[in-house]
Amino acid sequence: MPHIYDKIVICSCISLIPLAQVAQDLSSRVDDPQLKELATGIGDILTKARAESTINKYSCYFKKWERWCATFEEVQPFPAKDFHFVLYIISLIQLGESFHVIESVFYAVKHFHNVASKPDPTSSTLAEYILEAAKRICHRKSSKKEPITSDHIRKIFQLINGDQANLLDLRNFTIIILSYAGFLRYDEVSNLIFGDILVFETYMKLFIEKSKTDQHREGAWVYIAKLDSPFCPVKTLLRFTKNANITNDNEYLFRATSFFKKKGIHKLRNKNKPICYSTARSAVLLYIKRIGLDLKLFGLHSLRRGGATEAANRGVNDRLFQKHGRWKTAGVKNGYVQEDINSLLKVSLGLGL
């Protein structure tokens, strides 16, 4: 049997997709040379239907499925039979794989069959029921991080000696205050460049070029008000960029630092590369530990969750709240909020008793 990838279209440096078959099938449906030329280009167009990172993920999980198929002479990965695919899902359940893995394989196989116009083995009723069963069997209780509060941020500010903070502490505090005020994820704050900042008299706006929920990479603006407070995110960011001597629009704001022992100062490294996740996480957790909090309960996501929780408990309008956090649905947005006791009591207090 010829290999599934004898004919392929390369969508990125590491992702292989069997789309040449699609172009060939469509070309055979027309006779005009110009129409045939248009049909052969459909493979390249289809690779743009999903983000490159999604295609890379699907490719990885499809290869996992393909390796399993290779152990059985009667099973082929593409086009696949629905019963064979169901047996594969059952094998993953028996191996104790997480539901995330099972779901990823499910949608990877679905994607490659749909995009190649082949019968989808995941669309059968049996496959859909097995997926639902896997969700129940493989369910693991999620462990959400506790939210950082405004009181925690004030304590951190005092800890680093606020207005007299060195550049390293100022960089870290700026990451903290922006993530909190803008409901920013690590990827969003770490990829900010100087040109993404626009400052006005009473507010600033940050351009988020790409985000987890921004599938079409349209970008989004996050608006943050100036405050008459030492913890003002706008003033903190401006002070950091001034002290770090960031002036080039293409410079990443948050980069690694070097310490010059003789001068006793920190400086941003010249290499224009964003701060890595482990460095940012370690920096935030260091402050969390020093103000007496349990490290097991907090992480970088505590900042986004903390800002969302504070806004919700202070009665910020739901529509504006959701737009500020760039959530696609209210259900996902609500998952970030940890209501305080006063908010929870509003329900029974409003029953007219």
Side-chain angles (χ1 to χ4, degrees):
M1 184 181 73
H3 194 275
I4 179 178
Y5 294 129
D6 280 346
K7 293 183 178 181
I8 58 175
V9 171
I10 299 177
C11 115
S12 72
C13 59
I14 63 172
S15 299
L16 305 176
I17 306 178
L19 291 178
Q21 257 185 353
V22 181
Q24 186 177 1
D25 290 345
L26 293 174
S27 295
S28 66
R29 299 181 190 179
V30 292
D31 297 320
D32 187 280
Q34 188 175 355
L35 295 178
K36 280 185 176 292
E37 185 178 355
L38 290 172
T40 56
I42 198 169
D44 289 328
I45 298 297
L46 285 174
T47 62
K48 310 300 182 185
R50 295 287 186 276
E52 184 176 332
S53 59
T54 302
I55 297 299
N56 290 342
K57 174 185 172 182
Y58 283 171
S59 296
C60 175
Y61 283 105
F62 190 90
K63 289 170 187 175
K64 185 178 175 74
W65 152 246
E66 189 182 25
R67 286 193 295 271
W68 184 84
C69 293
T71 62
F72 303 97
E73 187 175 346
E74 63 186 277
V75 181
Q76 65 179 31
F78 183 86
K81 294 181 179 179
D82 58 353
F83 185 61
H84 288 158
F85 183 68
V86 165
L87 294 178
Y88 174 57
I89 296 299
I90 292 174
S91 76
L92 294 178
I93 294 173
Q94 292 176 344
L95 287 171
E97 293 281 10
S98 69
F99 180 69
H100 170 75
V101 169
I102 294 172
E103 186 180 40
S104 297
V105 169
F106 188 93
Y107 287 107
V109 171
K110 173 185 283 291
H111 170 76
F112 287 135
H113 279 77
N114 285 343
V115 83
S117 299
K118 299 297 181 184
D120 175 15
T122 71
S123 64
S124 71
T125 302
L126 179 60
E128 291 175 353
Y129 270 98
I130 289 293
L131 183 67
E132 284 299 313
K135 185 184 295 186
R136 295 175 181 272
I137 295 168
C138 305
H139 175 72
R140 294 173 185 172
K141 187 177 179 180
S142 61
S143 178
K144 291 184 178 180
K145 296 299 183 182
E146 288 293 307
I148 289 289
T149 68
S150 56
D151 285 339
H152 294 150
I153 289 180
R154 289 185 178 91
K155 288 179 180 178
I156 293 173
F157 184 80
Q158 293 170 355
L159 179 70
I160 65 172
N161 198 20
D163 295 332
Q164 305 302 317
N166 63 46
L167 185 66
L168 177 62
D169 283 333
L170 182 56
R171 181 202 69 180
N172 296 338
F173 185 73
T174 307
I175 291 174
I176 290 170
I177 198 70
L178 281 188
S179 299
Y180 178 85
F183 303 177
L184 301 182
R185 303 176 179 88
Y186 157 74
D187 285 339
E188 295 169 343
V189 72
S190 64
N191 283 301
L192 285 172
I193 59 175
F194 189 61
D196 290 334
I197 308 167
L198 290 179
V199 181
F200 301 88
E201 185 177 350
T202 58
Y203 69 96
M204 74 174 176
K205 60 180 185 176
L206 307 176
F207 183 66
I208 308 300
E209 184 178 3
K210 57 182 180 180
S211 179
K212 179 181 178 181
T213 54
D214 183 15
Q215 295 181 351
H216 299 292
R217 297 296 183 260
E218 296 173 344
W221 288 100
V222 174
Y223 292 77
I224 299 177
K226 283 185 180 178
L227 307 173
D228 186 17
S229 159
F231 320 109
C232 173
V234 181
K235 294 174 184 176
T236 301
L237 178 58
L238 293 177
R239 184 157 70 94
F240 167 67
T241 56
K242 181 180 179 181
N243 290 5
N245 195 29
I246 300 174
T247 57
N248 190 314
D249 280 351
N250 295 316
E251 280 188 82
Y252 284 105
L253 297 179
F254 306 113
R255 311 197 298 272
T257 63
S258 296
F259 181 66
F260 294 85
K261 193 172 181 180
K262 288 184 177 180
K263 296 183 179 179
I265 60 172
H266 293 269
K267 284 188 177 182
L268 289 186
R269 293 182 185 172
N270 291 329
K271 189 172 184 180
N272 194 29
K273 182 180 178 181
I275 187 173
C276 69
Y277 175 83
S278 59
T279 300
R281 182 177 181 274
S282 297
V284 172
L285 289 181
L286 176 63
Y287 300 125
I288 287 173
K289 181 180 180 180
R290 290 177 65 188
I291 62 173
L293 300 178
D294 187 346
L295 293 181
K296 295 178 182 178
L297 302 179
F298 296 87
L300 282 179
H301 220 56
S302 296
L303 298 167
R304 176 171 164 85
R305 192 164 185 234
T309 292
E310 190 81 22
N313 287 330
R314 289 179 177 269
V316 173
N317 176 277
D318 262 8
R319 183 180 64 82
L320 294 176
F321 178 99
Q322 186 171 329
K323 183 179 178 64
H324 190 73
R326 302 161 306 287
W327 288 289
K328 291 296 184 182
T329 66
V332 175
K333 175 207 70 176
N334 292 338
Y336 278 78
V337 176
Q338 182 173 298
E339 289 86 358
D340 61 17
I341 186 65
N342 291 327
S343 298
L344 293 171
L345 291 177
K346 284 179 180 178
V347 178
S348 56
L349 289 172
L351 298 179
L353 298 176

